[in-house]
Amino acid sequence: MKKDIWKDLFDHKRLRRILLYGVYLFLVLVLQNIVFTQLRPLGVCPFVLPAAVAAVGMFEGSIFGAVFGLVMGVFTDMFDPGTVVMYTVLFPVLAFGVGFVSQFFINRRLPGFMICSAAVLLVTGAVQVISLALTDVFSMSLVWTAVLQTLWSLPPAVLVYFPPERWIE
């Protein structure tokens, strides 16, 4: 009996889920680039894209999360003129890691998500500090900025938790 690979690959449920995550990606990018860039207490704006990648990795698994992270990273690098491929490489790794950790070690509820979000936001801040330190002069103010960005990004990270949490089966 011959199976139709294309029918299995693009079934109705999978296409609907891909469309939902495409809309989710677009809305999170708009929220990040239009709304959150205007909120700058102490000169730092929240950065929720790593938390969105963590949410998809947590609820959809490592592989789908990594693919979503790759797409989100490409679009983030397009919107951020200071990076070339930093987020394209970083986001899939973060999503895969969160997917792995949530599958084996942590539950998929809001407290577990917030722990994973704090971790991915800290890693993202550390990578930003390292990339700036390699191209410019290192200063402890870079570390302070990364810590403030992480703390300021945690409250809005709750917003990106709920859409993927509702879409899981």
Side-chain angles (χ1 to χ4, degrees):
M1 176 187 251
K2 183 179 177 184
K3 281 184 96 170
D4 189 10
I5 293 177
W6 296 108
K7 185 178 179 182
D8 290 340
L9 185 61
F10 295 111
D11 64 344
H12 177 61
K13 285 183 179 181
R14 190 166 302 184
L15 283 175
R16 181 178 179 275
R17 182 171 284 175
I18 290 171
L19 181 65
L20 281 173
Y21 280 110
V23 171
Y24 176 70
L25 173 122
F26 175 74
L27 291 176
V28 171
L29 282 170
V30 166
L31 189 71
Q32 176 66 48
N33 292 318
I34 294 176
V35 176
F36 287 146
T37 55
Q38 304 303 316
L39 306 172
R40 291 185 177 266
L42 301 174
V44 178
C45 66
F47 191 47
V48 297
L49 300 179
V53 168
V56 175
M58 177 176 272
F59 291 114
E60 294 296 335
S62 298
I63 302 299
F64 190 84
V67 171
F68 180 82
L70 181 69
V71 174
M72 179 74 87
V74 167
F75 281 106
T76 304
D77 282 332
M78 285 174 28
F79 284 114
D80 189 1
T83 61
V84 179
V85 294
M86 182 172 74
Y87 298 116
T88 304
V89 173
L90 180 64
F91 284 173
V93 171
L94 293 175
F96 187 85
V98 169
F100 178 79
V101 167
S102 69
Q103 186 174 2
F104 296 109
F105 302 111
I106 198 166
N107 68 2
R108 296 177 180 177
R109 301 285 179 238
L110 186 60
F113 170 73
M114 293 308 289
I115 291 168
C116 288
S117 289
V120 298
L121 288 167
L122 280 172
V123 168
T124 303
V127 169
Q128 289 171 336
V129 166
I130 291 168
S131 70
L132 284 173
L134 290 175
T135 59
D136 213 5
V137 177
F138 177 75
S139 164
M140 283 307 288
S141 65
L142 290 174
V143 176
W144 178 246
T145 303
V147 170
L148 282 176
Q149 176 181 311
T150 299
L151 294 175
W152 184 231
S153 299
L154 282 175
V158 174
L159 298 174
V160 298
Y161 167 78
F162 291 106
E165 189 261 340
R166 296 179 136 231
W167 296 336
I168 61 170
E169 295 175 353

